[in-house]
Amino acid sequence: KFRKTKLAALLADPASFSASHGDEVLLPLEVWTQRLARPCTVFICVAGGDGGGYEEDEEEALMEREWVGMVTLRGPFSYELYRLSGPESPVRVEVEEEEEEGEDPETRWHLSNLWTSSAHRGRGLAKKMVQECLDFATSESKRLPGKDKARVRLIIKDEGSFLKRMYARMGFDETGRASLREAYIASGDEGCLPRDTSSKEELIGLWETRFGLVMERVL
């Protein structure tokens, strides 16, 4: 059901994702299964019916009811796994100084694949799902010794002005730029990258040019 919903979302709203339907539909089932395992936490919003709720348990509701939204949160990551591969990682200097002192108070997370069904938009579902991710990252950080901050990052297309405004209202700051290749890696989809992303000018333009906007919030 996760695969079916994601593929339908890619067809209906391709701008919400870094990957394409043409690439995703070819992936074996094992890849989809891995996407539901740690370090991924997938938050799914299901339709509540006329009464706004449901009597089933959570597992039954997930299987029986319509999925109207989902978002993926990956983490927590070490700094080395979290940072972008290029020279512009927004947290590079800050974290390197802390690591030299033997301290690193942050957990680091990456949020991606936010999607809501067009029939259920305008009801604040996207904001609620993002807030669930922030609350989860905060609560998980408190479980770990020596961690008192949670840094949550996302990468969006800069022309996505609605998302940009929504994230800004939720306290996210613009902290850098990312390429499509870096977005794939950050989302855990490095296995879906083509072998060659830089031998030709058109490949560099598609995969290596940093047209994605990086936003972060520290909680």
Side-chain angles (χ1 to χ4, degrees):
K1 190 168 183 178
F2 173 57
R3 178 181 182 273
K4 180 180 178 180
T5 302
K6 175 74 177 292
L7 291 176
L10 282 164
L11 281 176
D13 196 10
S16 295
F17 305 93
S18 56
S20 69
H21 179 273
D23 292 334
E24 295 280 291
V25 74
L26 298 176
L27 296 177
L29 187 59
E30 307 89 79
V31 173
W32 294 93
T33 302
Q34 291 169 6
R35 288 176 172 177
L36 292 172
R38 291 287 188 177
C40 291
T41 301
V42 180
F43 295 82
I44 297 167
C45 181
V46 301
D50 295 337
Y54 48 83
E55 297 179 356
E56 312 99 313
D57 60 27
E58 290 185 0
E59 183 175 349
E60 186 176 354
L62 282 173
M63 297 308 298
E64 298 296 330
R65 291 189 175 268
E66 177 190 5
W67 292 11
V68 298
M70 58 186 178
V71 63
T72 300
L73 183 69
R74 302 184 72 238
F77 294 116
S78 67
Y79 169 64
E80 284 303 317
L81 290 176
Y82 174 84
R83 74 180 182 88
L84 300 178
S85 58
E88 300 179 10
S89 176
V91 296
R92 176 185 297 273
V93 175
E94 176 183 338
V95 174
E96 285 184 349
E97 289 176 351
E98 289 170 346
E99 287 184 342
E100 286 179 2
E101 298 172 359
E103 299 178 358
D104 184 6
E106 291 185 352
T107 58
R108 300 173 191 86
W109 309 76
H110 184 78
L111 186 152
S112 63
N113 295 321
L114 174 64
W115 167 80
T116 57
S117 166
S118 59
H120 292 81
R121 290 177 185 170
R123 306 179 186 183
L125 294 183
K127 185 176 180 180
K128 290 178 181 177
M129 287 192 293
V130 172
Q131 188 60 53
E132 284 291 329
C133 290
L134 299 180
D135 293 344
F136 180 84
T138 301
S139 64
E140 288 295 300
S141 297
K142 291 179 179 178
R143 298 171 181 264
L144 301 174
K147 304 293 185 181
D148 57 14
K149 299 177 184 177
R151 181 182 292 267
V152 180
R153 178 187 64 197
L154 54 93
I155 301 172
I156 60 173
K157 297 177 181 178
D158 202 3
E159 65 266 25
S161 56
F162 167 76
L163 283 178
K164 184 177 176 180
R165 290 195 302 270
M166 184 192 78
Y167 287 127
R169 288 195 297 268
M170 296 188 72
F172 284 84
D173 296 318
E174 298 179 27
T175 55
R177 292 279 171 175
S179 67
L180 185 57
R181 178 180 60 81
E182 290 170 324
Y184 265 60
I185 294 171
S187 298
D189 291 329
E190 58 268 30
C192 302
L193 286 169
R195 293 183 179 180
D196 181 11
T197 62
S198 60
S199 67
K200 299 179 181 179
E201 187 173 338
E202 55 265 34
L203 290 175
I204 294 174
L206 174 62
W207 292 102
E208 303 294 345
T209 302
R210 288 187 152 176
F211 56 79
L213 178 64
V214 180
M215 302 183 77
E216 292 182 309
R217 180 177 174 184
V218 179
L219 303 158

